[in-house]
Amino acid sequence: MRKSSTRRAPEFERLELYLKERGLKMTAPREMVLRAFLGLERHVSAEEIFAEARRLDASIGQATVFRTIKLLADAGLAREAYRDDGTRQFEHAYRHEHHDHLVCVSCGVIVEFVDPAIERAQETIYRAHGFESVQHHLELRGTCPACKKAGR
Amino acid sequence: MRKSSTRRAPEFERLELYLKERGLKMTAPREMVLRAFLGLERHVSAEEIFAEARRLDASIGQATVFRTIKLLADAGLAREAYRDDGTRQFEHAYRHEHHDHLVCVSCGVIVEFVDPAIERAQETIYRAHGFESVQHHLELRGTCPACKKAGR
DNA sequence: CTTTCTGCAAAGTGTTTGCAAAAAC
DNA sequence: GTTTTTGCAAACACTTTGCAGAAAG
């Protein structure tokens, strides 16, 4: 007896697997948080996830959202990223590989990009200093075309 | 009648000028915070500046330190920088040009570097997306040689 | 039934702000 | 003297934690 998995996103299966592996439980609130996170576009704050989860289930608690976000990160579904202005955001990690960010300081719009030449140069720098690479992030801050035109 | 300025670092004059320009006052606590900041090596947290300032003058208040750090940043003496782990640090900005960071995730050691090729590639990305550059920062996180050797 | 999970409220961080007394100019 | 600055304590924003009852397996 298995439930229909027709429209079920693979992210849910991934979370279930992750939980089962360590004796944790799949619950309605956890499913709700994941659904909220997946439904939102990239680069959301914890607060935005909380608000969206609340929209789906008004009884959900803030602590549960924070705890679940941590689970999602551990399960490889969400990636935590701090902006250069110190704000904390989460982006989709499942089937979204590494990329860097071009951020408009005026309207906040974020463009994702990867530059192979920069990626290669970074490896060279790690090697030159004898470091083992763990993770890297380049953030370009500037003014986007629309804001420039609007004189912002 | 002018006071001797023999050993006076140019940073103090800069701060005095900045304050005078906007009708603000040079005070002992402000001088102490600047002295604490200058005396510490790069990449210090507000708390470290506070501790050091307290060492120089036990009566100084936390709020004064935070307020003065902001002044130093506005005056171009300090640069605020958020690490990819969300911690906030300050580094010397006076006569220290832009650079990127190679950070050891184990011991915290920070190596500063500039790669002309990467800098050029960044400009190309700004242009390709029609953005006007404001500021950019690359952070490479990894394990330094010493920590690697120690198996950390 | 046993263990994990939940929501709540309280506690923690790190930083900012309101205020009356003190210092700068 | 007038204005800015100070230290203190309270307020703040964001996040984590303790707990007793609820839910999962």
Side-chain angles (χ1 to χ4, degrees):
Chain A
M1 210 187 322
R2 58 183 177 71
K3 56 186 141 179
S4 148
S5 57
T6 326
R7 293 185 322 268
R8 198 173 187 69
E11 283 88 346
F12 288 94
E13 321 237 299
R14 163 87 107 143
L15 179 57
E16 251 162 17
L17 180 64
Y18 172 88
L19 293 173
K20 187 161 291 175
E21 276 174 4
R22 43 209 84 197
L24 304 179
K25 297 167 180 176
M26 179 50 113
T27 65
R30 284 178 178 167
E31 210 171 315
M32 228 45 92
V33 172
L34 176 53
R35 196 183 298 178
F37 176 59
L38 294 179
L40 291 166
E41 288 307 304
R42 308 267 160 66
H43 307 115
V44 285
S45 63
E47 194 187 10
E48 287 169 297
I49 298 175
F50 177 46
E52 179 66 8
R54 264 258 152 110
R55 241 177 33 80
L56 300 179
D57 169 0
S59 75
I60 207 163
Q62 183 159 247
T64 300
V65 171
F66 274 97
R67 286 186 278 233
T68 304
I69 289 175
K70 194 164 290 174
L71 284 178
L72 297 184
D74 289 347
L77 293 167
R79 186 183 300 123
E80 182 187 56
Y82 284 92
R83 287 281 97 80
D84 279 358
D85 63 3
T87 58
R88 186 197 200 188
Q89 302 202 322
F90 300 91
E91 50 182 50
H92 294 188
Y94 190 74
R95 291 195 278 178
H96 290 255
E97 10 18 66
H98 162 76
H99 54 255
D100 292 312
H101 295 113
L102 180 53
V103 180
C104 177
V105 297
S106 170
C107 70
V109 68
I110 299 180
V111 178
E112 301 182 350
F113 70 90
V114 176
D115 184 313
I118 292 182
E119 297 296 323
R120 258 179 275 119
Q122 290 174 356
E123 283 313 312
T124 305
I125 291 167
Y126 274 120
R127 244 178 291 119
H129 293 274
F131 272 61
E132 175 141 356
S133 159
V134 166
Q135 163 209 114
H136 52 263
H137 176 234
L138 170 61
E139 182 170 320
L140 304 184
R141 300 174 71 76
T143 313
C144 74
C147 288
K148 252 199 309 188
K149 190 172 294 178
R152 262 169 288 180
Chain B
M1 207 186 325
R2 58 186 177 72
K3 54 188 140 178
S4 149
S5 57
T6 326
R7 291 185 323 267
R8 198 172 188 69
E11 284 87 347
F12 288 93
E13 321 238 299
R14 163 88 106 142
L15 179 59
E16 250 161 18
L17 181 64
Y18 172 87
L19 294 173
K20 187 161 294 177
E21 276 173 3
R22 42 209 86 200
L24 304 179
K25 295 167 181 178
M26 179 49 114
T27 66
R30 285 178 177 167
E31 209 170 315
M32 228 44 92
V33 172
L34 177 53
R35 196 184 297 177
F37 175 60
L38 294 178
L40 291 165
E41 288 309 305
R42 309 265 161 66
H43 307 114
V44 285
S45 63
E47 193 188 10
E48 286 170 296
I49 298 174
F50 177 45
E52 179 67 9
R54 263 258 153 110
R55 242 178 32 81
L56 300 178
D57 169 0
S59 74
I60 207 163
Q62 183 160 247
T64 301
V65 172
F66 274 96
R67 287 187 277 233
T68 305
I69 289 174
K70 194 164 291 173
L71 283 178
L72 298 184
D74 289 346
L77 293 167
R79 184 183 301 121
E80 182 186 57
Y82 284 91
R83 287 280 97 79
D84 278 359
D85 63 4
T87 59
R88 186 197 201 186
Q89 302 202 321
F90 299 91
E91 49 182 53
H92 295 189
Y94 190 74
R95 289 195 279 179
H96 291 255
E97 14 12 71
H98 162 77
H99 54 254
D100 293 312
H101 295 114
L102 179 53
V103 181
C104 176
V105 296
S106 169
C107 70
V109 68
I110 299 179
V111 178
E112 300 182 351
F113 69 89
V114 177
D115 184 313
I118 291 181
E119 297 295 322
R120 260 179 273 120
Q122 290 174 357
E123 283 312 313
T124 304
I125 291 167
Y126 274 120
R127 245 178 289 119
H129 293 274
F131 273 60
E132 174 140 358
S133 159
V134 167
Q135 164 209 112
H136 52 264
H137 176 235
L138 169 61
E139 182 169 321
L140 304 183
R141 298 174 71 76
T143 313
C144 74
C147 288
K148 254 198 308 188
K149 189 173 293 178
R152 263 169 289 180

PDB file of all heavy atoms in Angstrom, chain A residues 35-58:
ATOM      1  N   ARG A  35       7.091  22.983   1.916  1.00  0.00           N
ATOM      2  CA  ARG A  35       6.228  23.452   0.840  1.00  0.00           C
ATOM      3  C   ARG A  35       6.315  24.972   0.706  1.00  0.00           C
ATOM      4  O   ARG A  35       6.384  25.518  -0.399  1.00  0.00           O
ATOM      5  CB  ARG A  35       4.775  23.023   1.111  1.00  0.00           C
ATOM      6  CG  ARG A  35       3.906  23.142  -0.122  1.00  0.00           C
ATOM      7  CD  ARG A  35       2.462  22.785   0.176  1.00  0.00           C
ATOM      8  NE  ARG A  35       2.313  21.396   0.620  1.00  0.00           N
ATOM      9  CZ  ARG A  35       1.140  20.850   0.985  1.00  0.00           C
ATOM     10  NH1 ARG A  35       0.041  21.567   0.953  1.00  0.00           N
ATOM     11  NH2 ARG A  35       1.085  19.597   1.378  1.00  0.00           N
ATOM     12  N   ALA A  36       6.330  25.659   1.828  1.00  0.00           N
ATOM     13  CA  ALA A  36       6.441  27.121   1.808  1.00  0.00           C
ATOM     14  C   ALA A  36       7.751  27.544   1.148  1.00  0.00           C
ATOM     15  O   ALA A  36       7.779  28.417   0.284  1.00  0.00           O
ATOM     16  CB  ALA A  36       6.373  27.670   3.232  1.00  0.00           C
ATOM     17  N   PHE A  37       8.810  26.887   1.560  1.00  0.00           N
ATOM     18  CA  PHE A  37      10.131  27.229   1.029  1.00  0.00           C
ATOM     19  C   PHE A  37      10.193  27.000  -0.473  1.00  0.00           C
ATOM     20  O   PHE A  37      10.683  27.845  -1.223  1.00  0.00           O
ATOM     21  CB  PHE A  37      11.193  26.397   1.745  1.00  0.00           C
ATOM     22  CG  PHE A  37      12.587  26.583   1.217  1.00  0.00           C
ATOM     23  CD1 PHE A  37      13.193  27.834   1.213  1.00  0.00           C
ATOM     24  CD2 PHE A  37      13.304  25.497   0.729  1.00  0.00           C
ATOM     25  CE1 PHE A  37      14.486  27.994   0.727  1.00  0.00           C
ATOM     26  CE2 PHE A  37      14.598  25.662   0.241  1.00  0.00           C
ATOM     27  CZ  PHE A  37      15.183  26.910   0.242  1.00  0.00           C
ATOM     28  N   LEU A  38       9.670  25.855  -0.916  1.00  0.00           N
ATOM     29  CA  LEU A  38       9.726  25.541  -2.342  1.00  0.00           C
ATOM     30  C   LEU A  38       8.857  26.495  -3.154  1.00  0.00           C
ATOM     31  O   LEU A  38       9.195  26.855  -4.282  1.00  0.00           O
ATOM     32  CB  LEU A  38       9.273  24.099  -2.581  1.00  0.00           C
ATOM     33  CG  LEU A  38      10.180  23.010  -1.998  1.00  0.00           C
ATOM     34  CD1 LEU A  38       9.599  21.631  -2.277  1.00  0.00           C
ATOM     35  CD2 LEU A  38      11.596  23.114  -2.565  1.00  0.00           C
ATOM     36  N   GLY A  39       7.751  26.911  -2.553  1.00  0.00           N
ATOM     37  CA  GLY A  39       6.833  27.772  -3.272  1.00  0.00           C
ATOM     38  C   GLY A  39       7.341  29.188  -3.460  1.00  0.00           C
ATOM     39  O   GLY A  39       6.940  29.887  -4.382  1.00  0.00           O
ATOM     40  N   LEU A  40       8.233  29.597  -2.602  1.00  0.00           N
ATOM     41  CA  LEU A  40       8.772  30.955  -2.703  1.00  0.00           C
ATOM     42  C   LEU A  40       9.940  30.990  -3.685  1.00  0.00           C
ATOM     43  O   LEU A  40      10.636  30.002  -3.864  1.00  0.00           O
ATOM     44  CB  LEU A  40       9.262  31.428  -1.334  1.00  0.00           C
ATOM     45  CG  LEU A  40       8.161  31.682  -0.303  1.00  0.00           C
ATOM     46  CD1 LEU A  40       8.760  31.797   1.090  1.00  0.00           C
ATOM     47  CD2 LEU A  40       7.400  32.949  -0.661  1.00  0.00           C
ATOM     48  N   GLU A  41      10.116  32.124  -4.278  1.00  0.00           N
ATOM     49  CA  GLU A  41      11.272  32.261  -5.163  1.00  0.00           C
ATOM     50  C   GLU A  41      12.548  32.280  -4.325  1.00  0.00           C
ATOM     51  O   GLU A  41      12.504  32.364  -3.123  1.00  0.00           O
ATOM     52  CB  GLU A  41      11.139  33.540  -5.993  1.00  0.00           C
ATOM     53  CG  GLU A  41      10.074  33.426  -7.058  1.00  0.00           C
ATOM     54  CD  GLU A  41      10.255  32.210  -7.950  1.00  0.00           C
ATOM     55  OE1 GLU A  41      11.340  32.069  -8.541  1.00  0.00           O
ATOM     56  OE2 GLU A  41       9.316  31.375  -8.041  1.00  0.00           O
ATOM     57  N   ARG A  42      13.652  32.248  -4.967  1.00  0.00           N
ATOM     58  CA  ARG A  42      14.951  32.197  -4.294  1.00  0.00           C
ATOM     59  C   ARG A  42      15.153  33.293  -3.251  1.00  0.00           C
ATOM     60  O   ARG A  42      14.453  34.286  -3.246  1.00  0.00           O
ATOM     61  CB  ARG A  42      16.080  32.391  -5.320  1.00  0.00           C
ATOM     62  CG  ARG A  42      16.016  31.504  -6.485  1.00  0.00           C
ATOM     63  CD  ARG A  42      16.820  30.243  -6.303  1.00  0.00           C
ATOM     64  NE  ARG A  42      16.321  29.249  -7.272  1.00  0.00           N
ATOM     65  CZ  ARG A  42      16.451  29.392  -8.587  1.00  0.00           C
ATOM     66  NH1 ARG A  42      17.083  30.417  -9.097  1.00  0.00           N
ATOM     67  NH2 ARG A  42      15.973  28.487  -9.415  1.00  0.00           N
ATOM     68  N   HIS A  43      16.170  33.104  -2.425  1.00  0.00           N
ATOM     69  CA  HIS A  43      16.658  34.152  -1.545  1.00  0.00           C
ATOM     70  C   HIS A  43      15.594  34.698  -0.613  1.00  0.00           C
ATOM     71  O   HIS A  43      15.208  35.856  -0.684  1.00  0.00           O
ATOM     72  CB  HIS A  43      17.232  35.312  -2.371  1.00  0.00           C
ATOM     73  CG  HIS A  43      18.242  34.857  -3.357  1.00  0.00           C
ATOM     74  ND1 HIS A  43      18.046  34.969  -4.692  1.00  0.00           N
ATOM     75  CD2 HIS A  43      19.443  34.265  -3.198  1.00  0.00           C
ATOM     76  CE1 HIS A  43      19.096  34.469  -5.335  1.00  0.00           C
ATOM     77  NE2 HIS A  43      19.952  34.035  -4.450  1.00  0.00           N
ATOM     78  N   VAL A  44      15.139  33.850   0.249  1.00  0.00           N
ATOM     79  CA  VAL A  44      14.136  34.269   1.217  1.00  0.00           C
ATOM     80  C   VAL A  44      14.734  34.313   2.610  1.00  0.00           C
ATOM     81  O   VAL A  44      15.623  33.544   2.943  1.00  0.00           O
ATOM     82  CB  VAL A  44      12.934  33.316   1.225  1.00  0.00           C
ATOM     83  CG1 VAL A  44      12.070  33.546   0.007  1.00  0.00           C
ATOM     84  CG2 VAL A  44      13.397  31.871   1.298  1.00  0.00           C
ATOM     85  N   SER A  45      14.234  35.223   3.410  1.00  0.00           N
ATOM     86  CA  SER A  45      14.645  35.288   4.809  1.00  0.00           C
ATOM     87  C   SER A  45      13.833  34.268   5.593  1.00  0.00           C
ATOM     88  O   SER A  45      12.799  33.787   5.135  1.00  0.00           O
ATOM     89  CB  SER A  45      14.383  36.683   5.351  1.00  0.00           C
ATOM     90  OG  SER A  45      12.990  36.942   5.321  1.00  0.00           O
ATOM     91  N   ALA A  46      14.296  33.973   6.796  1.00  0.00           N
ATOM     92  CA  ALA A  46      13.564  33.048   7.653  1.00  0.00           C
ATOM     93  C   ALA A  46      12.163  33.587   7.906  1.00  0.00           C
ATOM     94  O   ALA A  46      11.188  32.837   7.942  1.00  0.00           O
ATOM     95  CB  ALA A  46      14.309  32.869   8.978  1.00  0.00           C
ATOM     96  N   GLU A  47      12.096  34.891   8.051  1.00  0.00           N
ATOM     97  CA  GLU A  47      10.799  35.515   8.321  1.00  0.00           C
ATOM     98  C   GLU A  47       9.811  35.291   7.170  1.00  0.00           C
ATOM     99  O   GLU A  47       8.633  35.043   7.381  1.00  0.00           O
ATOM    100  CB  GLU A  47      10.998  37.020   8.543  1.00  0.00           C
ATOM    101  CG  GLU A  47       9.792  37.694   9.143  1.00  0.00           C
ATOM    102  CD  GLU A  47       9.976  39.215   9.178  1.00  0.00           C
ATOM    103  OE1 GLU A  47      10.939  39.723   8.583  1.00  0.00           O
ATOM    104  OE2 GLU A  47       9.132  39.873   9.803  1.00  0.00           O
ATOM    105  N   GLU A  48      10.315  35.377   5.945  1.00  0.00           N
ATOM    106  CA  GLU A  48       9.440  35.159   4.793  1.00  0.00           C
ATOM    107  C   GLU A  48       8.941  33.720   4.743  1.00  0.00           C
ATOM    108  O   GLU A  48       7.786  33.458   4.415  1.00  0.00           O
ATOM    109  CB  GLU A  48      10.176  35.506   3.495  1.00  0.00           C
ATOM    110  CG  GLU A  48      10.364  36.989   3.288  1.00  0.00           C
ATOM    111  CD  GLU A  48      11.318  37.295   2.135  1.00  0.00           C
ATOM    112  OE1 GLU A  48      12.516  36.930   2.215  1.00  0.00           O
ATOM    113  OE2 GLU A  48      10.867  37.886   1.148  1.00  0.00           O
ATOM    114  N   ILE A  49       9.840  32.799   5.071  1.00  0.00           N
ATOM    115  CA  ILE A  49       9.419  31.395   5.092  1.00  0.00           C
ATOM    116  C   ILE A  49       8.364  31.205   6.169  1.00  0.00           C
ATOM    117  O   ILE A  49       7.349  30.541   5.959  1.00  0.00           O
ATOM    118  CB  ILE A  49      10.625  30.472   5.354  1.00  0.00           C
ATOM    119  CG1 ILE A  49      11.649  30.611   4.226  1.00  0.00           C
ATOM    120  CG2 ILE A  49      10.158  29.019   5.480  1.00  0.00           C
ATOM    121  CD1 ILE A  49      12.932  29.822   4.457  1.00  0.00           C
ATOM    122  N   PHE A  50       8.592  31.835   7.319  1.00  0.00           N
ATOM    123  CA  PHE A  50       7.632  31.735   8.416  1.00  0.00           C
ATOM    124  C   PHE A  50       6.273  32.261   7.985  1.00  0.00           C
ATOM    125  O   PHE A  50       5.241  31.610   8.180  1.00  0.00           O
ATOM    126  CB  PHE A  50       8.156  32.513   9.632  1.00  0.00           C
ATOM    127  CG  PHE A  50       7.221  32.543  10.797  1.00  0.00           C
ATOM    128  CD1 PHE A  50       6.579  31.388  11.222  1.00  0.00           C
ATOM    129  CD2 PHE A  50       6.986  33.726  11.479  1.00  0.00           C
ATOM    130  CE1 PHE A  50       5.715  31.408  12.313  1.00  0.00           C
ATOM    131  CE2 PHE A  50       6.126  33.748  12.563  1.00  0.00           C
ATOM    132  CZ  PHE A  50       5.486  32.598  12.975  1.00  0.00           C
ATOM    133  N   ALA A  51       6.263  33.437   7.369  1.00  0.00           N
ATOM    134  CA  ALA A  51       5.004  34.052   6.942  1.00  0.00           C
ATOM    135  C   ALA A  51       4.274  33.152   5.952  1.00  0.00           C
ATOM    136  O   ALA A  51       3.061  32.943   6.053  1.00  0.00           O
ATOM    137  CB  ALA A  51       5.271  35.420   6.320  1.00  0.00           C
ATOM    138  N   GLU A  52       5.028  32.606   5.011  1.00  0.00           N
ATOM    139  CA  GLU A  52       4.413  31.746   3.998  1.00  0.00           C
ATOM    140  C   GLU A  52       3.892  30.454   4.623  1.00  0.00           C
ATOM    141  O   GLU A  52       2.794  29.996   4.293  1.00  0.00           O
ATOM    142  CB  GLU A  52       5.443  31.429   2.901  1.00  0.00           C
ATOM    143  CG  GLU A  52       4.946  30.532   1.797  1.00  0.00           C
ATOM    144  CD  GLU A  52       3.848  31.150   0.943  1.00  0.00           C
ATOM    145  OE1 GLU A  52       3.576  32.361   1.114  1.00  0.00           O
ATOM    146  OE2 GLU A  52       3.261  30.410   0.124  1.00  0.00           O
ATOM    147  N   ALA A  53       4.668  29.895   5.552  1.00  0.00           N
ATOM    148  CA  ALA A  53       4.235  28.668   6.220  1.00  0.00           C
ATOM    149  C   ALA A  53       2.961  28.936   7.024  1.00  0.00           C
ATOM    150  O   ALA A  53       2.039  28.111   7.048  1.00  0.00           O
ATOM    151  CB  ALA A  53       5.333  28.134   7.122  1.00  0.00           C
ATOM    152  N   ARG A  54       2.903  30.092   7.630  1.00  0.00           N
ATOM    153  CA  ARG A  54       1.717  30.476   8.403  1.00  0.00           C
ATOM    154  C   ARG A  54       0.488  30.592   7.510  1.00  0.00           C
ATOM    155  O   ARG A  54      -0.618  30.262   7.914  1.00  0.00           O
ATOM    156  CB  ARG A  54       1.949  31.848   9.067  1.00  0.00           C
ATOM    157  CG  ARG A  54       2.428  31.745  10.490  1.00  0.00           C
ATOM    158  CD  ARG A  54       1.268  32.027  11.444  1.00  0.00           C
ATOM    159  NE  ARG A  54       1.440  31.336  12.713  1.00  0.00           N
ATOM    160  CZ  ARG A  54       1.717  31.925  13.884  1.00  0.00           C
ATOM    161  NH1 ARG A  54       1.852  33.232  13.945  1.00  0.00           N
ATOM    162  NH2 ARG A  54       1.834  31.203  14.969  1.00  0.00           N
ATOM    163  N   ARG A  55       0.732  31.077   6.297  1.00  0.00           N
ATOM    164  CA  ARG A  55      -0.355  31.193   5.335  1.00  0.00           C
ATOM    165  C   ARG A  55      -0.942  29.804   5.040  1.00  0.00           C
ATOM    166  O   ARG A  55      -2.142  29.634   4.867  1.00  0.00           O
ATOM    167  CB  ARG A  55       0.164  31.804   4.031  1.00  0.00           C
ATOM    168  CG  ARG A  55      -0.481  33.124   3.646  1.00  0.00           C
ATOM    169  CD  ARG A  55       0.134  33.720   2.377  1.00  0.00           C
ATOM    170  NE  ARG A  55       0.583  32.751   1.400  1.00  0.00           N
ATOM    171  CZ  ARG A  55      -0.225  32.119   0.524  1.00  0.00           C
ATOM    172  NH1 ARG A  55      -1.504  32.383   0.503  1.00  0.00           N
ATOM    173  NH2 ARG A  55       0.280  31.252  -0.332  1.00  0.00           N
ATOM    174  N   LEU A  56      -0.038  28.811   4.990  1.00  0.00           N
ATOM    175  CA  LEU A  56      -0.474  27.447   4.686  1.00  0.00           C
ATOM    176  C   LEU A  56      -1.095  26.772   5.908  1.00  0.00           C
ATOM    177  O   LEU A  56      -1.934  25.908   5.792  1.00  0.00           O
ATOM    178  CB  LEU A  56       0.713  26.621   4.186  1.00  0.00           C
ATOM    179  CG  LEU A  56       1.408  27.138   2.913  1.00  0.00           C
ATOM    180  CD1 LEU A  56       2.582  26.245   2.547  1.00  0.00           C
ATOM    181  CD2 LEU A  56       0.413  27.198   1.758  1.00  0.00           C
ATOM    182  N   ASP A  57      -0.616  27.174   7.092  1.00  0.00           N
ATOM    183  CA  ASP A  57      -1.117  26.566   8.331  1.00  0.00           C
ATOM    184  C   ASP A  57      -0.920  27.571   9.454  1.00  0.00           C
ATOM    185  O   ASP A  57       0.176  27.736   9.974  1.00  0.00           O
ATOM    186  CB  ASP A  57      -0.356  25.270   8.609  1.00  0.00           C
ATOM    187  CG  ASP A  57      -0.626  24.734  10.004  1.00  0.00           C
ATOM    188  OD1 ASP A  57      -1.415  25.363  10.763  1.00  0.00           O
ATOM    189  OD2 ASP A  57      -0.050  23.695  10.358  1.00  0.00           O
ATOM    190  N   ALA A  58      -2.014  28.202   9.827  1.00  0.00           N
ATOM    191  CA  ALA A  58      -1.951  29.327  10.755  1.00  0.00           C
ATOM    192  C   ALA A  58      -1.455  28.950  12.141  1.00  0.00           C
ATOM    193  O   ALA A  58      -1.099  29.818  12.929  1.00  0.00           O
ATOM    194  CB  ALA A  58      -3.329  29.981  10.861  1.00  0.00           C
TER     195      ALA A  58
END
